[in-house]
Amino acid sequence: MIANIELTRNSLAFGPAAGLSSCGQFGLKPLLISFVVFVAGCFDGGMLWAQLKNADLMSADFRQLLESSCFDCHGDSDREAGLDLSFFKTVGQLREAKDIWNNVQRRVLSGSMPPPDYDSLSQNDRVALAAWVEQALTDVDCSEMSVVGQVTLRRLNRLEYRNSIRDLLLVDYDGADAFLGDDVGYGFDNIGDVLSMPPILLEKYLTAAEVISRQVIVAPEDVAAVETPLPLGDWATEGGINNDGGRLSFFSNGTATFEFRALVAKEYLLKIQAMGQQAGDEPVQMTVMIDKKRIKRIDLPEHEAIVSIELPIKLAKGNRNIKISFDNDFYNPQAADPDRRDRNLAVQKISLTPKTAELPERNAIQKNFFFVYPERAADEADTAQRLVQFWSSHLFRRATQPEEVAKIAEVYTAARHEGSSFEQSMQFALQAMLVSPKFLYKVEEPPQVQGVARALNSFELATNLSYFLWCSAPDSELLSIANTKDLQGDHLLQAQIKRMLSDSRAQRMVDNFSEQWLQLRGLDRFEPDAQQFPDVDRILLLDLRAETQAFCREIFSENRSLLDLLNADFTYVNQRLAKHYGWDDLEITGDKLQRISLAGRDRGGLLTQGSFLTVTSNPTRTSPVKRGKWILDNLLNEPPPPAPPDVVPLEDQKLTGTFRQQLEQHRRNPSCASCHDQMDPLGLALEQFDPVGRWRTQDGGAAIDASGVLPTGETFVGAEQLRQVLLELKRDQFIRCVVEKMLTYALGRGLRYDDQCTVNDIVKRLEASEYSARELIIAICESPPFRQRQWMSDNGETPVK
């Protein structure tokens, strides 16, 4: 059934433009925006604003401007760089392709598009066109906006699966790491649109369910029956018996006795290896007794060879005497056949094996699952029903209905009828729950009325909270509240958010979010040149990653300002990192990270941490381009587009001079300059840090020039001044970027233009709280898109009621 689930992606098909990312309009000052809007109002395109809110179609003036200036290269017949601007006919479509139109706006305003040799767009028209795009992308009337969007039905990713199993069933199933890698959308691996279910993953889920169920529940069928030797040297003898410790030799009638302590009443197999020396007219006879009760008289075969005998016996609880006797001794020295003159019995080995395996004492994992256990066989069915009811509710994250419980219980019943033990039958029932879509997917009920937002029910909201804040399933307290109260109540919701944030599991959210937002996973693939950097190994790279994660944990756990992400004067290092950074004055030993002050050091915040500086470098040298792009991507949310396909990579060009001079020569190409003018200065300001994040003053014998100038005029030298530019002039943009990144992560979907209303509200709350990190999380949990759902049509628009 899982394999037939079809996941649909909620996004506009941008035709040939699909997949084209955007550079954005990095750094347009508010004054410049005001000027653009003012100037645009003075031209023929000035009436465009009045039409924007009330008309879905693009205005005729704007459309004509595009046709005359853009469609020759970016129209239906000629799609330069795969971009067809003629596809877009409505404001809604334009907003859905925000990244593409941000790129259009920036390149038109910078003069790089249309190209200078294609003289078809006056400066006035450039300003008007750029201003129209700016207004179309940002002018959302939040007073009338009620769209909260929908999230594609999505499965749990690897981390969520492993955490859910660990938290609920207490089994740390590391096999989840061998699942197929989770696809990434919008920078995160919890996006419903890209988390598919290929058949091979379903097979891994089936295997995982079997392995996990056997760790949670130990069945007799899984435990080998242990054979217990009854050492011959410990048998007491009476009569004609020689006992040398390795063999009981009955040369005349006699009895050997072994005292066995049975902890519980149980059936056993008594296994005896014996041999009879035949004489006379009857076979050797051996009698087995338990206490005073004769169990069986056994005639040994006529041939004189060792035979194996398995005799089922029942032992009552307590000390039991197991007896073996030789009853029909015979001796005739006058017999014609000298080999048949003496009848004797020899016993070589005796052991006891339980007919059913001895179950080990239940450990914490098994006690957690079996919170109730049947004392009698008559109680098994009712116990199974209670267990299925409880665990299906926890695994499915809601109160399961009687018919659902009955279907799972049928799995138990069928196995029991086929002869499986109670425990093994419960294994099969648990496996059915673990491979159910109701566990593997975050399932939400569809809205009842198209186009009308509905509040999530308490169980759905509890699931959203737990997978956002803990990357795991709701705990018993959260489910209990969802089952009895309305979690949508502000007071109750806030109390649960604060409780969950104070739990140690909240660190998972910070670690998982930060490592994806800041692209720390790239350190797993980074391979520095071994000759240049012999001391940089996998362990050190893990330390660099751990430093940033510990740093981010403090920002959120101590409820510091989000601005401290850029400006904090502390970090975390161990002995290896202190040595790596050249901080010989620190008295730090061992592997454990310790918090240190950065006062008096040339570092502070994310921009000077080795993780970022390393992951944005090449194996042998720094990359100002990568570092600048990282800042645009992750701190300002203005990702530049990929390089045009016809541009020769920097390494393959015949450029001369310092690396800075080579970048300047590269930027002379107009198609390169529009992005590099924004990326390069940011990266060059960090050139005083080498490819693995160590401080330096020279590169190749030349003094490092760490100065930079942005296209909007801001100048800076070095990381400290760059940080001040970001804090003072780009503060709002940075805060908005963090909000949009975390909101995307929390919702499990990409943001739409109408989500800007939510972003605006959260930014205002942050401003009022002095950018409290915890306030960001609370504001997201309380936001309409997090607490509500609205059915959207296939083209991404809200359907008409």
Side-chain angles (χ1 to χ4, degrees), residues 6-7 80 200 253 365 416 432 503 559 575 644 720 739 757:
E6 181 178 357
L7 301 182
E80 288 281 335
I200 189 172
N253 290 347
I365 295 175
R416 201 75 177 100
D503 192 286
N559 196 23
Q575 184 176 2
E720 174 60 29
V739 171
C757 298

Side-chain angles (χ1 to χ4, degrees), residues 599-614:
R601 304 186 190 277
D602 298 312
R603 294 181 189 264
L606 291 170
L607 288 179
T608 60
Q609 290 185 4
S611 59
F612 149 64
L613 295 165
T614 301

Side-chain angles (χ1 to χ4, degrees), residues 223-379:
V223 180
V226 178
E227 182 176 351
T228 303
L230 306 183
L232 297 181
D234 294 340
W235 287 70
T237 60
E238 181 181 352
I241 307 172
N242 288 327
N243 184 355
D244 61 5
R247 174 172 169 161
L248 292 175
S249 299
F250 292 78
F251 59 86
S252 184
N253 290 347
T255 301
T257 303
F258 187 92
E259 187 175 11
F260 179 80
R261 180 172 179 77
L263 298 178
V264 294
K266 184 177 293 189
E267 291 187 358
Y268 290 87
L269 284 178
L270 180 64
K271 298 181 180 181
I272 305 171
Q273 291 184 2
M275 178 182 70
Q277 181 180 350
Q278 305 296 338
D281 57 1
E282 61 183 20
V284 175
Q285 294 178 349
M286 178 177 68
T287 301
V288 177
M289 299 180 64
I290 303 297
D291 295 329
K292 296 181 179 181
K293 181 180 180 180
R294 189 174 76 171
I295 303 302
K296 188 172 184 180
R297 174 170 285 174
I298 303 168
D299 292 344
L300 294 181
E302 285 293 329
H303 58 82
E304 297 181 0
I306 296 176
V307 294
S308 294
I309 302 164
E310 291 189 357
L311 183 63
I313 61 173
K314 291 183 180 180
L315 295 182
K317 181 180 179 181
N319 292 333
R320 307 270 71 90
N321 287 321
I322 302 173
K323 299 180 179 181
I324 294 177
S325 62
F326 175 41
D327 302 327
N328 61 339
D329 182 37
F330 173 84
Y331 177 69
N332 181 7
Q334 306 301 321
D337 186 352
D339 292 333
R340 294 185 64 86
R341 292 175 179 174
D342 195 4
R343 183 186 300 149
N344 296 312
L345 170 67
V347 177
Q348 306 285 88
K349 180 180 179 181
I350 308 174
S351 66
L352 276 178
T353 301
K355 291 188 70 175
T356 57
E358 186 77 34
L359 289 177
E361 183 177 350
R362 290 195 294 274
N363 60 23
I365 295 175
Q366 286 120 41
K367 289 178 180 178
N368 173 67
F369 182 84
F370 286 113
F371 60 88
V372 59
Y373 206 86
E375 295 184 1
R376 304 172 305 164
D379 299 331

Side-chain angles (χ1 to χ4, degrees), residues 140-153:
V140 178
D141 187 354
C142 293
S143 64
E144 300 179 0
M145 185 63 62
S146 62
V147 177
V148 296
Q150 68 183 28
V151 179
T152 302
L153 173 72

